[in-house]
Amino acid sequence: MSRFRVLFLQIATALLYMGPLVAGLGGFGWAMLPPFVSIFVLWLVLLRPHQWPMTLADWRSGVGVGAALTQILSQILLVTVLFGVGRGIGGVLGTLPVMFPMLPVAMSFLALPLMRLAWNPDRALAEGVTIDALMEAARLPVGVNPLARDPARAAAALLALPDDAAPETVLGLLEQSAVPGKGWPPAAGLAAALARAPAARHAALRKALVLWGTDPALLAAGSAPGALRAAFAAAAQDDGLLADLLPRATALARALPDRLDQFPDALALRTLAQELGGDRAAELSALADLLPATPARGTSRAA
């Protein structure tokens, strides 16, 4: 989320809170409570849909109903507090301004379309992201991302993506998890997790890792050590992924001989070739022939 959109969302939040505050300042009665609570609850549903029951079965469960009631009660309390603060300000000023009763409600209601312009809840649910994570990223200095500071969190965020996540979403998270000039901390943990997971899981992540790990610019710059080995771990023995990975990896091995330490070692590739057989075995053997017989110190054998 861009900083401009974050600012837009902050303005919408201020409008939302100003409604009941101004209503209290104007001396309106508690009859104004239901419309404000409705607006505040709708705001939460649009902003954080993941915190609400998503299916009819969820709504029928005690846990789902309890979570929804907790959210609603919290908004009743919030609106009541804002009413009280408005009344207190009016008491300190010694006067209650005269205004049209629907003006405060209109202020809070206007926050909904403004927020919707800056935040798409349907897309967020599909991509497995939350408003809190994006707001935290926007508060950090330019060039710094929370995923780059916490490898475990980065790996968890990537592994939590749905199998049909958009490629640009996965590639964006992969780029955010790299630390400029310091490498790619989640590499080892992510490769190990993918190696343990069933081959049918994390389809979007596996595909994106194959593309990202074999990016010539990325490998040439050495900015994400471990990415190529993670790509091999992601491909595992999947014929379709290997069909994408092996030609790209072979071309990179020929073009960038000074980056051969970023590849899985030759023995691991020959072992995989024996297990697979067929055309992929020939491609794996051809790639292994381009690599040093002994892996460089500290180089993972994962493939």
Side-chain angles (χ1 to χ4, degrees), residues 146-170:
L147 294 180
R149 302 185 308 174
D150 189 342
R153 179 179 177 182
L158 288 162
L159 291 168
L161 287 169
D163 289 348
D164 59 351
E168 59 270 18
T169 299
V170 191

Side-chain angles (χ1 to χ4, degrees), residues 114-158:
L114 289 179
M115 179 267 285
R116 188 61 178 79
L117 289 173
W119 175 247
N120 187 328
D122 295 329
R123 181 175 178 181
L125 276 178
E127 295 177 354
V129 297
T130 65
I131 186 65
D132 304 288
L134 293 179
M135 289 289 284
E136 179 181 351
R139 285 195 296 268
L140 294 172
V142 176
V144 179
N145 190 283
L147 294 180
R149 302 185 308 174
D150 189 342
R153 179 179 177 182
L158 288 162

Side-chain angles (χ1 to χ4, degrees), residues 33-283:
L33 185 64
F36 280 117
V37 171
S38 300
I39 292 171
F40 273 58
V41 169
L42 184 56
W43 169 275
L44 275 189
V45 171
L46 292 176
L47 195 66
R48 295 183 171 86
H50 60 284
Q51 294 182 353
W52 293 81
M54 303 299 296
T55 65
L56 183 59
D58 292 337
W59 279 106
R60 289 175 176 171
S61 69
V63 175
V65 173
L69 286 176
T70 300
Q71 299 267 46
I72 294 171
L73 290 173
S74 69
Q75 298 313 294
I76 293 174
L77 178 61
L78 177 58
V79 172
T80 302
V81 169
L82 291 170
F83 265 1
V85 171
R87 286 285 184 93
I89 294 174
V92 171
L93 295 177
T95 181
L96 298 178
V98 178
M99 66 183 73
F100 184 62
M102 292 306 295
L103 176 61
V105 176
M107 291 176 63
S108 288
F109 185 81
L110 181 60
L112 296 176
L114 289 179
M115 179 267 285
R116 188 61 178 79
L117 289 173
W119 175 247
N120 187 328
D122 295 329
R123 181 175 178 181
L125 276 178
E127 295 177 354
V129 297
T130 65
I131 186 65
D132 304 288
L134 293 179
M135 289 289 284
E136 179 181 351
R139 285 195 296 268
L140 294 172
V142 176
V144 179
N145 190 283
L147 294 180
R149 302 185 308 174
D150 189 342
R153 179 179 177 182
L158 288 162
L159 291 168
L161 287 169
D163 289 348
D164 59 351
E168 59 270 18
T169 299
V170 191
L171 290 171
L173 285 177
L174 287 170
E175 292 169 359
Q176 292 171 24
S177 62
V179 182
K182 296 185 179 180
W184 188 42
L190 195 59
L194 288 173
R196 293 192 302 268
R201 289 291 313 279
H202 312 297
L205 176 58
R206 292 178 188 275
K207 178 70 173 179
L209 265 174
V210 167
L211 297 177
W212 191 62
T214 54
D215 185 325
L218 194 71
L219 188 65
S223 54
L228 186 55
R229 291 190 293 274
F232 273 88
Q237 297 187 14
D238 184 277
D239 188 73
L241 292 176
L242 287 172
D244 290 335
L245 173 61
L246 293 176
R248 295 164 66 95
T250 302
L252 289 172
R254 292 194 176 103
L256 299 168
D258 57 330
R259 295 297 184 192
L260 294 182
D261 61 326
Q262 299 298 310
F263 287 73
D265 66 271
L267 178 59
L269 295 180
R270 294 188 194 281
T271 300
L272 182 59
Q274 291 175 359
E275 294 175 0
L276 293 178
D279 294 339
R280 299 294 167 250
E283 292 178 274

